[in-house]
Amino acid sequence: RGMMELLTYFGSPEEVYFARSEEYAHAYAGDIGPLLDKDLSPAREIISKCADAEARILTIGDGAYPARLKNIYDPPIVLYVKGKLPYIDEEIAVSIVGTRSCTPYGVKISERMGYEITRTGGLVVTGLAKGIDTAAARGALRAGGSVIGVLGCGIDVVYPYSNSRLYSDVSEVGALISEYPPGTKPSAANFPARNRIMSGLSLGVLVVEAPEHSGALITASKALEQGRDVYAVPGNIDADACKGSNALIMEGAQPAISGSAITEAYALM
């Protein structure tokens, strides 16, 4: 939020950069030390890494920046994009999330949901983690559509490494995006922040399988804060992997039994 406060106060990144210390003190309650450091070499290094990764930099002031994402409480100031980012604001974008430690049923249903949402005109957004995320992306790609992969690391860092081919396929037909500069390693602290971008890009979030205290539940919580819809696939009541997602339904999430039903509901709006 600090950077958004500065941009709102000064009007542009250039004005933020050239402001004086007393101006920063009026606009920002945090530590102004980093703002007084005018060394641009780190920025030049990031630009060079983006060129090496064949990625572009999208700022919140860019016309191509999704308005849907810009309107959340704490939008990312910068997005690093590899691939072709569709015009999100016109897409029936649905985030599919769930546990990494999913059941075979969860893998099957996640891939089916990704396939059905894509085949009926939707756009799948995923974190490209192993498990539910990976299955959803594969289903969407199998349906011949594009996928948006939102990462908790730099776009040139593959995590998990076993998804190297999937990362390549997604960037070929869709886009990989991250708010973290190239070279940023995955960190547990990055993923809750990543989740707000996934829900912010989407009209709704679909939880396929999630145990209690799952990161997927954080995404669902962010979705509700942002005024997005939350769906959950009914799961085995005896499976730990489904306790969180089943609880969402008990708390009012919409039960999801097909991807087409989700996209058709939005198409009628």
Side-chain angles (χ1 to χ4, degrees):
R1 291 299 297 176
M3 291 306 299
M4 277 301 297
E5 291 171 7
L6 287 166
L7 281 174
T8 300
Y9 184 89
F10 289 105
S12 72
E14 291 81 7
E15 294 296 327
V16 173
Y17 178 79
F18 288 111
R20 299 184 299 274
S21 59
E22 58 268 26
E23 293 176 297
Y24 291 140
H26 282 105
Y28 184 52
D31 179 16
I32 66 171
L35 296 168
L36 299 176
D37 182 358
K38 305 300 182 179
D39 181 12
L40 291 177
S41 55
R44 294 191 181 100
E45 183 178 355
I46 289 172
I47 291 171
S48 176
K49 287 182 177 179
C50 285
D52 292 341
E54 299 181 333
R56 66 184 176 121
I57 301 171
L58 193 63
T59 71
I60 198 167
D62 194 306
Y65 190 103
R68 193 181 289 167
L69 181 61
K70 186 185 294 187
N71 291 329
I72 70 172
Y73 169 70
D74 52 351
I77 302 299
V78 174
L79 290 174
Y80 301 93
V81 181
K82 182 172 184 177
K84 184 177 180 182
L85 189 66
Y87 191 63
I88 294 289
D89 300 320
E90 292 186 353
E91 295 283 350
I92 300 175
V94 179
S95 287
I96 301 180
V97 299
T99 180
R100 292 171 171 82
S101 302
C102 52
T103 68
Y105 169 81
V107 171
K108 180 179 74 172
I109 295 303
S110 185
E111 185 164 340
R112 180 190 299 174
M113 289 291 184
Y115 181 89
E116 291 178 353
I117 287 171
T118 303
R119 287 290 288 179
T120 53
L123 173 67
V124 169
V125 180
T126 167
L128 290 182
K130 73 176 191 177
I132 294 300
D133 291 20
T134 292
R138 286 176 175 161
L141 292 172
R142 187 164 58 86
S146 61
V147 174
I148 304 300
V150 185
L151 310 181
C153 54
I155 52 175
D156 58 340
V157 177
V158 179
Y159 178 76
Y161 188 73
S162 58
N163 273 354
S164 296
R165 177 62 182 271
L166 184 62
Y167 270 54
S168 177
D169 290 345
V170 168
S171 65
E172 285 291 326
V173 300
L176 300 172
I177 67 174
S178 176
E179 67 176 322
Y180 302 105
T184 302
K185 301 300 182 184
S187 165
N190 293 352
F191 293 100
R194 180 275 309 269
N195 294 347
R196 86 190 192 286
I197 299 176
M198 293 175 60
S199 55
L201 290 169
S202 305
L203 295 175
V205 169
L206 170 61
V207 181
V208 176
E209 277 187 343
E212 295 175 310
H213 313 299
S214 167
L217 302 183
I218 296 176
T219 311
S221 176
K222 290 293 183 183
L224 291 172
E225 291 174 7
Q226 295 166 355
R228 308 310 197 235
D229 298 316
V230 174
Y231 303 88
V233 173
N236 184 339
I237 61 173
D238 292 325
D240 288 342
C242 301
K243 286 185 176 179
S245 42
N246 283 338
L248 283 176
I249 296 174
M250 296 292 292
E251 294 164 5
Q254 301 178 58
I257 57 173
S258 76
S260 58
I262 296 173
T263 52
E264 286 167 6
Y266 288 123
L268 293 173
M269 291 181 178

